[in-house]
Amino acid sequence: MKIKDISKVYCIGIKGAGMVALAQILLGRGIEVSGSDTKEVFYTDAILKRLKIPYYEDFSAKHIPLGADVVVYSMAYSVENNAEMDSAQKLGIPMLSYPEMLGMLFQEKLGLAVCGTHGKTTTSAMLAEVLAAAGLDPSAVVGSQVISWQGSALSGNGEYFVAEADEYQNKLQYYKPWSAILTSVDWDHPDFFPDFVAYKKVFVDFVKKISRTGHLVVWGDSSDTLEVSEGAGCSVVTYGFGQENEYQIVNHETQDMENGGLQKFEVLCGSDEESLGIFEIMLVGKHNALNAAAVIALCREMHVDMEKVKKALREFRGTTRRFEKVGMFGDAILMDDYAHHPDEIKATLSGARQYFAGKKIWTVFNPHTFTRTKALLSEFAQSFDDTDRVIVIDIYGSAREQQGGVSSDDLVKLINKYHPGRADYIPTIGEASEFLKGEAGHFDVLITMGAGDVWKVAEELKKS
C-alpha cells in the first residue's frame, strides 16, 4: 500500500496526540479522514473540530465508513478489545497501526527523527519550527499541541519530515530516518521493557538504520547515549555541557521570572571551539537548553542559516503541558507539566525553582501506570527536592492497567522518609482541588504534573 493509493481513512483512537497529528497530515494530502475515540475530553477535541474531522465518541462496528481504504488504529487497541477493529478485520479492510502509517509518510521524505526517553516533544517541535522559519517548509508530527501552531502537525511541501519517534512498544522499528536526534536513554515503560538492557536495545537497533549520508546528533554527557551511538553508520556528533562535546554549551545564564525568564547560552563547535554565537530561549530549565543545543547541532550539520536558527529559537513558545502557564488561582500562578518519569520531575522542578526564585512552590503529582511507579518507586520518592509540598493523587493506570501492587500512598510514605511532612496522599482530582481551595494563600505557584488528567486540578482552581 502507498499513500497515493489512499483516499479514505478511518482512525481508531483519533484523539491521541500523535493520531490527531497524523489525521491532519493525511487531510492535508486531500485524504478523507474520520474516526472514533472515547468520550473523555482532550485538547485534541478542539483541533479535530477546527479541522472539521468527524468522529464518534464510542466504538461500534457500524461506524466504519463504506469504502474505507485503510483503518489506522492506536496501539492501545486490538481486535480483542475493540469492536471496530474486529469488524474491519472481518470485512477485510487493511489495518495499520499508528506507527506503521507514520512510517509510510516518513519514508516519503528525508526523515528527521527525534527519539529518547525525555525531551522528544519539545525538541521535535523546536526543530520543525526552526526549519519552517528557515523557509524549508517541513512536515512534522509532534506528540503534543505546539502553541504557535494550535495543533500538533505541519503539512509542508518541503523535503524534510520531522517526527517525534516514540520507543514504547518498539514503535521505532517502523521508522527509517535520514537523520536523528537522541536526547537521552533512561529505563522507562517497564510494562513492555523488562529491564534496561531490553530498553536500550531498541535505540541501538534504531540508530543502525540511520542513512549513511545522514547524521546522528546525540547527548554527549551520558555514557548510555554514547554507547547507543556506537552502532550508527552515519556521521555522529555530540552536544551537551561537557567540554568533550562537538557542540558545547558555555556561559549559560538563567533569568528568573522577575527578570524576563530567558535562558542565554553560547555554543562552541569543534576542536577549534568556533563560537556559533549567543542563543536565547523562553523555555525554563537546563534540559531545554540541551534540547535547543540538539536542534542547533543538527541544523548546522544540515547547513541551515544560523541567524535564522537563533531568531526561531528566541521566538519558540513551546508546547502544551510542558511547563505551561494555564492560569491563576487568586495570586497563585498555575502551571502544568507532563513530567511522569523521575528524571523529568527533577529537571522540571529544578527549572521551576530557578524561574520562580523565592516563591513557595506546591506540586500535585499524578503517577502514570502501576508498572512504572512500582519499578521506579525509590527514584520517584527522591524527585521532589525542589518543591515545598507535594500532593500525590491516585495512580493513572490508563487503558493498559487497572492495578499493580503499588499505590500512591506507598509513594507518599517514601517521600516523607526523605522529606518528613512534605507529601500528602489525596486520592482524587476532586478531593485535591477542594483541599487546595482551602489552602489559598499558602502557595505562590502550583504545578500539576503527570501524563494523566491531573491538569483538571488547575482547571478547577481557575474557576474558583
Side-chain angles (χ1 to χ4, degrees), residues 23 33 57 73 150 170 382 385 388 441:
V33 182
E57 291 193 314
Y73 60 92
Q150 288 300 292
N170 195 12
Q382 298 175 71
D385 291 355
D388 296 292

Side-chain angles (χ1 to χ4, degrees), residues 342-411:
D343 289 338
E344 294 167 353
I345 295 167
K346 286 186 280 189
T348 296
L349 292 178
S350 174
R353 181 60 71 194
Q354 290 182 310
Y355 185 71
F356 294 115
K359 297 191 180 296
K360 187 167 286 188
I361 300 170
W362 285 21
T363 302
V364 183
F365 178 57
N366 186 189
H368 187 250
T369 77
F370 292 92
T371 46
R372 181 187 285 117
T373 306
K374 186 174 182 178
L376 303 176
L377 187 66
S378 178
E379 290 87 345
F380 275 117
Q382 298 175 71
S383 299
F384 295 96
D385 291 355
D386 286 313
T387 188
D388 296 292
R389 193 167 182 181
V390 56
I391 294 159
V392 184
I393 63 175
D394 280 334
I395 295 168
Y396 186 91
S398 77
R400 306 171 208 161
E401 306 170 334
Q402 297 303 315
Q403 55 81 36
V406 70
S407 72
S408 290
D409 193 34
D410 295 331
L411 176 56

Side-chain angles (χ1 to χ4, degrees), residues 208-225:
K208 289 177 181 176
K209 297 191 293 182
I210 299 171
S211 169
R212 291 188 176 276
T213 65
H215 314 280
L216 173 60
V217 174
V218 59
W219 179 38
D221 298 334
S222 161
S223 60
D224 291 308
T225 52

Side-chain angles (χ1 to χ4, degrees), residues 25-100:
I25 294 280
L26 294 172
L27 194 68
R29 299 286 186 90
I31 295 170
E32 183 182 338
V33 182
S34 60
S36 60
D37 212 309
T38 66
K39 291 181 179 178
E40 189 174 355
V41 176
F42 299 94
Y43 78 87
T44 52
D45 286 73
I47 298 173
L48 290 166
K49 286 169 184 170
R50 187 172 68 248
L51 295 172
K52 298 181 180 178
I53 295 175
Y55 60 95
Y56 300 98
E57 291 193 314
D58 63 346
F59 301 109
S60 170
K62 65 184 180 183
H63 291 163
I64 298 175
L66 291 173
D69 296 303
V70 64
V71 168
V72 180
Y73 60 92
S74 160
M75 291 181 73
Y77 301 109
S78 66
V79 171
E80 288 73 31
N81 69 15
N82 187 277
E84 294 178 348
M85 288 185 66
D86 181 57
S87 177
Q89 184 180 71
K90 288 174 179 173
L91 290 169
I93 301 171
M95 288 193 291
L96 294 172
S97 66
Y98 160 76
E100 286 176 306

Side-chain angles (χ1 to χ4, degrees), residues 311-336:
K311 184 175 186 295
L313 288 176
R314 174 63 178 81
E315 295 174 354
F316 180 66
R317 295 167 56 203
T319 66
T320 57
R321 301 223 61 219
R322 270 63 178 181
F323 205 68
E324 178 189 14
K325 182 178 178 180
V326 293
M328 300 291 293
F329 171 56
D331 293 330
I333 299 167
L334 300 174
M335 305 294 295
D336 183 51

